[in-house]
Amino acid sequence: MEYTINTPEWHFQQILKYLGEDIRREGLKETPKRYIKFMREFLEPKEFNFTTFDAEGTDEMIMQMNIPFYSICEHHTAPFFGVGSIAYIPQDKIVGLSKLARTLDFYANRFQNQERITTQVAERLMNELNAKGVAVSLKAQHLCMCMRGVKKHDTWTITNKLLGVFKDDDKTRNEFLNHINRI
């Protein structure tokens, strides 16, 4: 298939040619179009309504664990993926439960690094909820580590961001860490 010169599909086709691929091969004919469509879909942050409710006396930790996420390493353009655990202690507001996972996806679905995702999710929740504290832990496997360079499969990277009482209070921090260490 011929793509118009200087379109994203044409450029990707040129990369395939550079890598020695026969771009006329049946399996690769539509690959540039599919690849660009995938990248556009994946890298477009999905906006959502950050629905909150009155906390009505809720003052204990609210936590979600094992939230799957996918991202693309900004250094190697290789995928990384894993699970996140997110907790907060409300002050005035609680958030609709799906919003924790949506917040993680919002920051993960782009060219990223794991450390930044962790921080962005925690800071967004802290700001939106005016929470007493927020804790975010991400555990991910990076294909740039598994498939190239050091080639260490089954290596997991864990990043944490603790804000408010999760950072300042040992008991609260330990409660969160004990929960996530059980998974």
Side-chain angles (χ1 to χ4, degrees):
M1 175 169 217
E2 289 297 317
Y3 294 99
T4 304
I5 292 178
N6 286 330
T7 62
E9 294 81 2
W10 180 85
H11 285 287
F12 188 72
Q13 189 177 56
Q14 299 312 300
I15 292 170
L16 291 172
K17 283 168 78 174
Y18 174 79
L19 295 173
E21 294 294 334
D22 177 2
I23 61 171
R24 295 170 305 214
R25 185 164 52 92
E26 184 64 32
L28 289 178
K29 285 181 184 177
E30 302 284 324
T31 298
K33 182 172 67 175
R34 287 189 298 265
Y35 180 76
I36 298 304
K37 180 181 179 188
F38 159 71
M39 292 300 278
R40 282 193 175 126
E41 285 176 15
F42 183 80
L43 296 172
E44 185 176 304
K46 283 77 175 166
E47 295 289 339
F48 61 95
N49 185 8
F50 200 88
T51 311
T52 61
F53 307 95
D54 185 5
E56 296 182 33
T58 304
D59 61 358
E60 296 291 329
M61 185 185 310
I62 298 169
M63 183 172 187
Q64 281 186 349
M65 299 178 359
N66 289 327
I67 307 166
F69 75 93
Y70 303 89
S71 193
I72 299 177
C73 168
E74 66 186 6
H75 302 123
H76 302 101
T77 68
F80 65 96
F81 55 91
V83 294
S85 295
I86 301 173
Y88 71 99
I89 298 177
Q91 187 156 259
D92 307 316
K93 299 183 271 188
I94 58 172
V95 66
L97 290 177
S98 70
K99 305 317 183 232
L100 298 176
R102 289 180 192 274
T103 301
L104 178 54
D105 285 346
F106 182 80
Y107 292 106
N109 294 155
R110 56 185 78 190
F111 289 108
Q112 266 287 22
N113 66 54
Q114 183 175 334
E115 299 86 345
R116 187 179 311 118
I117 297 168
T118 309
T119 298
Q120 288 172 328
V121 169
E123 289 177 350
R124 168 94 183 258
L125 292 171
M126 192 72 168
N127 290 335
E128 293 274 356
L129 296 173
N130 188 32
K132 293 178 184 174
V134 172
V136 176
S137 181
L138 301 183
K139 178 181 176 181
Q141 191 166 40
H142 294 250
L143 293 186
C144 57
M145 283 269 305
C146 300
M147 297 174 63
R148 58 158 305 280
V150 71
K151 296 183 181 173
K152 298 295 181 192
H153 75 284
D154 207 27
T155 301
W156 295 85
T157 300
I158 297 172
T159 53
N160 297 312
K161 182 67 175 181
L162 307 172
L163 299 173
V165 294
F166 286 98
K167 186 172 185 112
D168 301 332
D169 180 47
D170 290 342
K171 184 179 173 199
T172 306
R173 177 177 44 256
N174 289 335
E175 182 181 351
F176 173 73
L177 294 174
N178 285 334
H179 280 299
I180 66 172
N181 287 331
R182 287 188 247 172
I183 58 172

